[in-house]
Amino acid sequence: MRKKIVAGNWKMNKNAEETEDLINELIEKLPDDIEAEIIIAPTFVNLASAVDHVEFTNITIAAQNMHNAENGAFTGEISADMLQSIGVETVILGHSERRAYFHETDSQLAFKVDTAIKHNMKVIFCFGEELKDRQDKQHFNVVENQLRDGLFHINNEAWENIILAYEPVWAIGTGETATPDQAQEMHEFIRETVRTRFGTIADDVSILYGGSVKPDNAKEIFGKPDVDGGLIGGAALKADDFVAIVNGLK
Ligand code: PEP
């Protein structure tokens, strides 16, 4: 079933102590009268303590990335099994920073998705066009290709574990947000694209918007019919801002 979700991507921020402090503040301040899944993604080294801290709360911990191989000579990488062995069952894949700085391609991402599915892990699959694509009016094509190349090979059952995160690259960390109408237009397109291949599964998949979501624009964006929540970067690093964004679902 389609769920409301707000996920915080902490990127390469917060050391061990700061991670504990922010999680404790979130536990204290997050509303308990919202039917939504709250996911936070600290750095790899703080995942185990984060998992311990959120026990008995409705917060889920996600990793920001993982390798597609089961194990082996991949210095510096982390496997699905390693994540699951510390209680992490959700992973963000395909974030635009992974695509841009670490050259992750759609076909590599398809392998990572396969590994996550094999391990029955949840995937927050990120994709979105660059500014130039939008200026050239190629944004729908780019998004369709990213979806097709990264996800269209999976089977119907696997969609149970897929959360989509549309993140226009030009809006990430820039303070520039897609207007609520731009977000709705693209989310509707994404849902219809999923429908062409997977039928009514499209109605059940949660599609998050990401890109400079802040307390003052969250409610309007989340109010759009095909926007099921958000993937939050910068504003996830301050408890009050993140909580205000979650409250935007009300
Ligand atoms: C992100 O990195 O996924 C993101 C949406 O960042 P920001 O909210 O800072 O734009």
Side-chain angles (χ1 to χ4, degrees):
M1 222 209 30
R2 197 160 143 194
K3 284 192 195 134
K4 298 279 182 199
I5 299 167
V6 179
N9 173 15
W10 290 7
K11 311 191 185 189
M12 197 175 72
N13 292 292
K14 305 288 177 191
N15 65 22
E17 195 183 334
E18 290 163 348
T19 297
E20 286 185 17
D21 289 348
L22 182 49
I23 290 177
N24 286 337
E25 210 182 333
L26 288 173
I27 291 170
E28 192 188 306
K29 294 181 173 173
L30 277 166
D32 44 25
D33 60 343
I34 286 188
E35 266 198 43
E37 207 172 311
I38 307 297
I39 302 173
I40 54 178
T43 59
F44 281 133
V45 291
N46 294 316
L47 287 174
S49 85
V51 168
D52 284 349
H53 268 73
V54 300
E55 207 184 351
F56 311 121
T57 74
N58 65 349
I59 301 173
T60 304
I61 300 298
Q64 298 173 16
N65 180 32
M66 71 175 200
H67 200 276
N68 56 280
E70 292 297 331
N71 52 45
F74 300 102
T75 302
E77 291 291 329
I78 303 283
S79 71
D81 176 58
M82 290 168 192
L83 294 175
Q84 290 188 300
S85 71
I86 56 163
V88 176
E89 298 290 344
T90 306
V91 63
I92 298 174
L93 294 179
H95 190 277
S96 64
E97 288 150 16
R98 299 291 322 168
R99 293 175 187 260
Y101 305 144
F102 303 98
H103 313 295
E104 290 192 10
T105 62
D106 288 323
S107 52
Q108 278 171 329
L109 287 168
F111 287 124
K112 291 189 178 199
V113 167
D114 287 343
T115 302
I117 289 170
K118 182 174 158 217
H119 283 257
N120 208 20
M121 291 178 78
K122 266 195 191 156
V123 174
I124 301 177
F125 186 82
C126 304
F127 56 98
E129 81 282 2
E130 295 183 23
L131 182 60
K132 191 174 176 310
D133 302 322
R134 191 164 273 266
Q135 286 166 337
D136 293 347
K137 303 202 179 347
Q138 289 303 309
H139 45 299
F140 292 116
N141 286 341
V142 168
V143 161
E144 188 176 348
N145 288 342
Q146 288 171 325
L147 277 173
R148 198 191 52 221
D149 295 348
L151 287 176
F152 270 25
H153 63 288
I154 68 176
N155 63 28
N156 288 6
E157 290 72 54
W159 278 93
E160 272 289 296
N161 281 333
I162 303 290
I163 299 162
L164 299 179
Y166 167 61
E167 300 204 301
V169 179
W170 48 271
I172 296 181
T174 58
E176 189 86 31
T177 320
T179 64
D181 286 341
Q182 280 174 323
Q184 168 57 26
E185 181 187 40
M186 185 56 92
H187 281 226
E188 189 179 349
F189 172 78
I190 291 163
R191 206 176 292 288
E192 292 316 308
T193 303
V194 174
R195 193 184 308 285
T196 57
R197 170 78 173 79
F198 297 97
T200 54
I201 282 173
D203 295 317
D204 290 334
V205 66
S206 297
I207 310 177
L208 314 186
Y209 170 79
S212 297
V213 177
K214 304 281 182 243
D216 60 1
N217 59 20
K219 197 173 178 64
E220 214 188 332
I221 296 172
F222 294 168
K224 293 293 178 184
D226 285 297
V227 178
D228 303 306
L231 178 56
I232 318 300
L237 297 172
K238 287 196 186 128
D240 288 336
D241 285 356
F242 190 71
V243 169
I245 289 169
V246 171
N247 279 321
L249 286 172
K250 280 185 183 168

